[in-house]
Amino acid sequence: MEQKWWKEAVVYQVYWRSFNDTTGNGIGDLQGVIEKLDYIKSLGVDVIWVNPFFESPDKDNGYDISNYYAVMDKAGDMETFERLLEEVHRRDMKLIMDLVVNHTSDQHPWFKESRSSIDDPKRDWYIWKDPKEDGSAPNNWRSYFTPSTWEYDEKTQQYYFHSFAIEQPDLNWENPEVREEIYNMMRFWLDKGIDGFRMDVINLLAKVKDYPDVDEPETINYLGNNPGIHNYLKEMYREVLQHYDVFTVGEIPFVTPEDGLLYVGEDRQELNTLFHFEVCDDMVQMDLPRFKEIQKRWYEGMFGRGTNSQFLNNHDHTRMVTRFGNDNEYREESAKLLGTLIHTLPGIPYVFQGEEIGMTGIDFPSIEDYQDIAMLNKYNEEVEKGRDEAEVLEELKLLSRDNSRTPMQWDDSENAGFTTGNPWIKVNPNYSDINVRQAMDDKNSIFYYYQDLISFRKRYKVLTYGDYQPILEEHPAIYSYFREFEDEKLLIVTNMSDEETVFDYSVDTSGAELLLHNYAVENDISSSHLKPHEVRVYLWTS
Ligand code: TEU
């Protein structure tokens, strides 16, 4: 497998609007990111992924773009972005941006022109269809954020297509003019020196031909991986990406390892790596047998031919220590264990801001405390069916995307040091105990454990290029695997449960170094008894 800088990288995701506010308006900004670059660098990460900051009405927190060539006022301005990029590079890190080209905002001039008349030159920059004979929508598809993917436009008496919110009309990628304009925009940012893209739902660009009704609209998997998608991505690679030394990661819902290779296979000339969602979209809480099966299937499906990613939370998915670990009596141990999985399983590790200090999900008392369009749309849809409001709210809380969007917790001052203003979303009430300053002062903090994890990934190639040999595969609580590459061998042993568990596997660790361990040293590491959420990483270097 070819060795590449990006394969050895660790990526830190900055959700800038919740990271650090320097203007006092209650919203984070790009200047705020600049002021925290030394903190990010101190973790040891190589790449920063910044969520969208383009001009936008902000219906979907920047994923509804109205001008691809300008920075939204909330985030700052182009000069600040250029300084951010310069400061990232000065610290020998790289910066990738979010590429959101499946859809725009309905306030984008392109869409305003397109909707102005059925004869407008930009009409088929978007997807317009006549109603069915009874006046209903062209088909029965559901969108991610609404019961239908179609919105009726009175003026031109047609429906337009949107995979997400009504305010996010899908671009028509069948139109070569659209593709050419997107490629020009990509070159504009790449010529500024960015180091790549995280590509938002990039597998949705191609739509099912003729938009037929489907038997199970709730699955929404018909939105992605359709015929034609690889033609678009090969053209994007040919026209743009191959001309720059950049790193691309596709956000690819509904993908299997076999299909994943079609996007990121080293011989495909499309994307470098991908995010799949078999864990974060389809596993509400940790289901260890299923987690083991997913990891094994993706390793066997991709290893040696394509590069996967490892993440357990991001700006769309609840903080992992709450969803997949134990954010109560074993929060620190559990956060370190999950961080160890992300950095020792095959794939590029992604650290979502605040994960490195064990930030948790939230449990706000009222729907008014939640901001995310996906959750608010779903809440209204369910309540409008006549369901009990309190019951619907409780049902939606755990997976609300707002769980990961509360402000970064810097210290125990007001608003966790995130803003001197009124935060756009409530700060997690536990900020007084869980914050960066507390972590810096505690040599056993999750932060310093992450520093070690990341430094070991740089020092030992086995973490990037090693194979994957799971053991105790049927064990209900223990997740353990070897990784080997050249003269390096690792054994990762975890107890994923809240109970003490016996590691009853005969392995001679006498010649090994205990590289990492998440319990204080008084715990007898020679014992086969694993404490709740204990993780041990052993290294042999022959
Ligand atoms: O996410 C796609 C999306 O709908 C995710 O929330 C989904 O649950 C999963 O993570 C992928 O299947 C991207 C952005 O990350 C999200 O913030 C945007 O709202 C969405 O696209 C629309 O641009």
Side-chain angles (χ1 to χ4, degrees):
M1 194 172 193
E2 201 181 353
Q3 301 198 4
K4 288 271 188 183
W5 68 264
W6 45 264
K7 292 182 183 177
E8 300 169 17
V10 176
V11 183
Y12 187 84
Q13 180 190 353
V14 173
Y15 197 64
W16 56 267
R17 67 183 63 231
S18 300
F19 193 61
N20 181 30
D21 169 24
T22 59
T23 68
N25 69 353
I27 303 168
D29 44 60
L30 297 183
Q31 178 58 32
V33 181
I34 291 173
E35 294 181 9
K36 297 292 184 183
L37 285 178
D38 289 337
Y39 166 75
I40 296 173
K41 177 68 178 177
S42 71
L43 256 181
V45 301
D46 311 277
V47 179
I48 295 175
W49 156 27
V50 186
N51 289 93
F53 48 76
F54 308 93
E55 242 171 45
S56 163
D58 246 7
K59 295 289 185 184
D60 185 18
N61 288 11
Y63 283 92
D64 50 318
I65 295 167
S66 54
N67 182 351
Y68 285 103
Y69 294 88
V71 176
M72 74 165 87
D73 290 343
K74 289 175 185 175
D77 56 26
M78 188 62 85
E79 187 275 329
T80 310
F81 167 75
E82 289 167 348
R83 198 153 30 81
L84 169 62
L85 183 59
E86 184 185 340
E87 288 300 316
V88 166
H89 286 162
R90 197 165 62 80
R91 290 167 176 79
D92 202 22
M93 292 190 287
K94 295 179 182 291
L95 183 140
I96 65 173
M97 288 173 49
D98 234 306
L99 184 73
V100 186
V101 293
N102 174 67
H103 47 273
T104 69
S105 163
D106 62 351
Q107 300 307 306
H108 195 297
W110 297 343
F111 187 69
K112 288 183 173 179
E113 291 169 44
S114 177
R115 77 181 313 169
S116 66
S117 122
I118 55 173
D119 302 319
D120 186 274
K122 282 198 169 48
R123 186 66 173 183
D124 67 349
W125 279 45
Y126 293 84
I127 300 164
W128 294 92
K129 297 286 176 203
D130 288 332
K132 283 182 176 171
E133 285 185 12
D134 63 2
S136 64
N139 66 20
N140 65 346
W141 296 4
R142 181 185 172 84
S143 91
Y144 269 95
F145 297 165
T146 55
S148 171
T149 48
W150 300 97
E151 180 66 11
Y152 189 66
D153 179 66
E154 286 292 346
K155 182 174 181 183
T156 59
Q157 298 192 340
Q158 283 192 316
Y159 284 87
Y160 68 84
F161 184 85
H162 57 89
S163 297
F164 292 92
I166 292 169
E167 299 87 348
Q168 295 171 289
D170 282 40
L171 283 164
N172 172 19
W173 271 74
E174 287 185 17
N175 185 336
E177 290 176 5
V178 168
R179 303 202 304 269
E180 189 49 43
E181 178 51 41
I182 296 300
Y183 301 156
N184 289 335
M185 180 270 288
M186 291 173 71
R187 294 184 193 101
F188 171 83
W189 291 101
L190 288 165
D191 289 343
K192 283 185 177 296
I194 66 166
D195 301 288
F197 292 108
R198 175 267 188 184
M199 297 192 178
D200 190 61
V201 284
I202 201 68
N203 61 320
L204 268 57
L205 303 184
K207 314 305 185 193
V208 176
K209 188 168 168 25
D210 301 332
Y211 298 85
D213 278 342
V214 292
D215 295 338
E216 296 175 58
E218 293 301 313
T219 65
I220 71 170
N221 56 7
Y222 43 82
L223 293 176
N225 307 316
N226 293 308
I229 182 59
H230 296 293
N231 300 340
Y232 295 150
L233 294 179
K234 285 185 181 304
E235 183 184 70
M236 182 187 283
Y237 180 85
R238 200 171 50 246
E239 294 294 319
V240 184
L241 297 172
Q242 68 167 336
H243 303 293
Y244 299 86
D245 177 19
V246 291
F247 164 58
T248 56
V249 52
E251 181 194 34
I252 306 187
F254 322 118
V255 74
T256 62
E258 296 68 31
D259 285 347
L261 273 181
L262 297 178
Y263 290 96
V264 303
E266 309 225 336
D267 57 347
R268 294 284 299 173
Q269 299 191 323
E270 292 187 21
L271 306 179
N272 293 131
T273 71
L274 62 80
F275 298 134
H276 72 73
F277 292 88
E278 289 199 38
V279 176
C280 280
D281 263 357
D282 304 334
M283 190 186 293
V284 175
Q285 290 183 295
M286 183 48 70
D287 171 346
L288 185 55
R290 187 151 166 226
F291 189 76
K292 291 178 178 181
E293 187 278 328
I294 290 167
Q295 293 296 341
K296 185 172 184 177
R297 183 159 39 83
W298 274 89
Y299 168 72
E300 291 172 348
M302 295 266 276
F303 189 68
R305 292 172 290 168
T307 303
N308 194 3
S309 304
Q310 291 291 346
F311 71 100
L312 288 173
N313 52 193
N314 60 26
H315 64 293
D316 294 330
H317 294 284
T318 300
R319 289 199 171 273
M320 64 185 191
V321 73
T322 297
R323 184 178 177 186
F324 297 123
N326 178 317
D327 65 359
N328 203 328
E329 68 268 37
Y330 296 108
R331 183 183 64 84
E332 299 219 352
E333 294 80 4
S334 173
K336 291 174 182 177
L337 185 159
L338 295 171
T340 305
L341 297 183
I342 289 169
H343 287 80
T344 61
L345 283 165
I348 296 172
Y350 284 75
V351 177
F352 177 59
Q353 68 181 44
E355 171 186 326
E356 75 277 11
I357 59 169
M359 278 178 64
T360 69
I362 46 166
D363 181 0
F364 290 150
S366 161
I367 189 64
E368 276 68 44
D369 297 322
Y370 289 87
Q371 311 290 332
D372 174 29
I373 188 170
M375 178 176 181
L376 297 176
N377 281 8
K378 189 65 181 169
Y379 175 85
N380 292 330
E381 182 183 339
E382 292 303 308
V383 166
E384 280 159 20
K385 290 176 186 171
R387 291 189 56 196
D388 175 71
E389 292 180 3
E391 182 187 294
V392 173
L393 177 60
E394 285 312 308
E395 199 174 271
L396 295 177
K397 276 182 179 180
L398 175 64
L399 297 184
S400 165
R401 301 192 302 175
D402 282 328
N403 278 288
S404 292
R405 300 179 177 187
T406 58
M408 182 73 180
Q409 295 163 198
W410 295 105
D411 55 42
D412 62 1
S413 70
E414 191 183 8
N415 295 321
F418 163 70
T419 179
T420 55
N422 180 25
W424 70 275
I425 186 170
K426 276 184 180 175
V427 179
N428 192 318
N430 63 22
Y431 77 89
S432 48
D433 300 319
I434 301 172
N435 60 70
V436 167
R437 182 167 300 157
Q438 177 280 332
M440 293 294 141
D441 295 341
D442 170 7
K443 66 179 175 49
N444 291 317
S445 69
I446 302 161
F447 178 88
Y448 291 122
Y449 187 91
Y450 262 66
Q451 258 187 352
D452 288 346
L453 270 176
I454 295 166
S455 70
F456 291 138
R457 187 174 181 85
K458 307 249 161 282
R459 195 184 312 169
Y460 302 109
K461 293 271 187 181
V462 63
L463 286 165
T464 302
Y465 301 106
D467 64 7
Y468 170 73
Q469 307 161 31
I471 57 175
L472 298 174
E473 295 185 80
E474 304 310 315
H475 200 290
I478 291 178
Y479 185 25
S480 185
Y481 45 93
F482 285 97
R483 299 204 60 200
E484 284 193 74
F485 180 73
E486 296 176 352
D487 62 351
E488 296 172 352
K489 182 165 90 170
L490 280 179
L491 171 62
I492 293 88
V493 179
T494 71
N495 171 10
M496 304 277 284
S497 75
D498 290 345
E499 322 301 331
E500 273 219 9
T501 304
V502 176
F503 178 60
D504 48 5
Y505 181 88
S506 61
V507 58
D508 174 8
T509 58
S510 57
E513 173 193 352
L514 182 67
L515 200 57
L516 275 168
H517 183 225
N518 67 339
Y519 265 78
V521 289
E522 71 270 9
N523 182 41
D524 172 10
I525 58 144
S526 63
S527 156
S528 59
H529 285 258
L530 296 173
K531 289 181 179 300
H533 300 276
E534 182 173 352
V535 54
R536 302 178 189 173
V537 180
Y538 297 95
L539 171 73
W540 291 262
T541 49
S542 48

